[in-house]
Amino acid sequence: MSAYVYHFSPAGTTKRIASVLGFALDADAQMIDLADPATLGGEHPVSAPTGKPEDSDIAVFAVPVFAGRVPQPAAAMISRIRGNGMRAASVVVYGNRDFDDALVELNDILARQGFSVIASGAFIARHSMLPAVAAGRPDTEDCGDAEAFAERIAEKLASAAERGVSTPIDIPGNRPYKESPAAAWTPSVTDDCTLCGICAINCPVQAIPHDAPNTTGQTCFQCMRCASACPEGARVLPAPVAAMISEKLAPIATVRKPNQVWV
Ligand SMILES: Cc1cc2nc3c(=O)[nH]c(=O)nc-3n(C[C@H](O)[C@H](O)[C@H](O)COP(=O)(O)O)c2cc1C
């Protein structure tokens, strides 16, 4: 079996789940970073891994949930990949609130691109805007869940009876999808900023000018990659946004919600 793991992971937790899942499926799984600015910029056009996929091949698509949806740049990237009938597993990773319509949306995109989705999962991770929510996740138990999910996917792939089925799984979520709110803020930059430019290099949508990395442009979609990449911790949530989110998420901050899979 060959596994191709496409992940979009601004703050790293989606990649962690995707890596565990991919490695459990295939020790030589190929990891493809859809949030790499070079990939997004089109210098390395993303395409289906094989012209004619084998029955045992699997593509894993893992994205975080932003406002109950697939982040728009991730949706745009996946919409450039052709499945050619390849089987796929879809995964959304969310910060303990809800994944709303993200999984339905991801599966719709994959079906449109010619993938046959045979399994889906919704995994919990610390909230990238407020890491105290679901702090420390994904942890050992979550990684165990990802490995168990991989086992079920492998069994399903191996079962000839399942071949040719597109989406036999009943995923929670609605169509039309939740409205995406307009971007209302960009990260604040504190006096600790040394203008090193690491944030600019890492921004998946080139929203941070390389010659003025203490500013943020309009293409920012608030993914928090700059905040997690900054060695000085100088890129932060604006205080009023932090206060608002903190109040909203307080009731679920320390609740241990389970991961869910549909196979
Ligand atoms: C802009 C934004 C919106 C988010 N919206 C949601 C949401 O609707 N529901 C939720 O449970 N978590 C939400 N989160 C939390 C992320 O889904 C979660 O932290 C995820 O693990 C981030 O993945 P990453 O570490 O790969 O970037 C949001 C995070 C950001 C930055």
Side-chain angles (χ1 to χ4, degrees):
M1 173 210 288
S2 295
Y4 301 86
V5 182
Y6 297 86
H7 57 88
F8 187 92
S9 186
T13 59
T14 305
K15 183 176 181 182
R16 200 170 310 157
I17 294 289
S19 305
V20 172
L21 186 53
F23 185 74
L25 285 165
D26 168 11
D28 294 318
Q30 192 176 319
M31 302 291 294
I32 302 117
D33 184 354
L34 297 177
D36 181 337
T39 314
L40 271 173
E43 289 168 38
H44 305 287
V46 177
S47 59
T50 55
K52 181 88 184 77
E54 299 291 321
D55 279 349
S56 58
D57 286 349
I58 182 95
V60 173
F61 285 87
V63 302
V65 175
F66 281 9
R69 299 282 304 273
V70 176
Q72 204 282 325
M77 279 303 291
I78 298 169
S79 298
R80 291 167 49 189
I81 304 168
R82 279 190 210 288
N84 300 328
M86 191 178 194
R87 288 171 184 80
S90 57
V91 175
V92 293
V93 178
Y94 67 107
N96 224 29
R97 186 191 65 75
D98 205 327
F99 57 92
D100 298 310
D101 306 330
L103 201 46
V104 164
E105 183 182 9
L106 178 57
N107 285 3
D108 285 349
I109 297 168
L110 292 173
R112 255 195 325 268
Q113 294 311 114
F115 287 94
S116 170
V117 181
I118 63 160
S120 294
F123 283 76
I124 308 275
R126 65 167 185 260
H127 202 292
S128 51
M129 288 165 96
L130 214 61
V133 174
R137 296 185 74 180
D139 55 19
T140 312
E141 201 178 319
D142 296 313
C143 293
D145 285 351
E147 284 167 354
F149 183 37
E151 221 167 278
R152 292 186 62 191
I153 295 169
E155 278 166 16
K156 188 161 187 176
L157 271 176
S159 154
E162 295 291 344
R163 298 225 167 110
V165 176
S166 59
T167 308
I169 35 186
D170 195 14
I171 304 298
N174 299 298
R175 298 182 192 86
Y177 318 128
K178 260 182 105 162
E179 283 286 320
S180 294
W185 53 270
T186 56
S188 300
V189 182
T190 71
D191 290 344
D192 292 331
C193 174
T194 61
L195 302 176
C196 71
I198 287 176
C199 55
I201 292 166
N202 278 278
C203 175
V205 292
Q206 290 91 39
I208 303 172
H210 287 241
D211 56 357
N214 54 349
T215 64
T216 310
Q218 291 305 308
T219 53
C220 172
F221 67 110
Q222 308 154 329
C223 73
M224 306 306 286
R225 190 173 182 103
C226 57
S228 52
C230 177
E232 307 297 334
R235 284 193 156 258
V236 295
L237 215 54
V241 178
M244 190 261 289
I245 304 268
S246 186
E247 192 184 335
K248 186 176 159 196
L249 299 181
I252 49 102
T254 57
V255 175
R256 189 171 183 98
K257 290 194 182 176
N259 303 306
Q260 292 172 271
V261 298
W262 298 265
V263 183

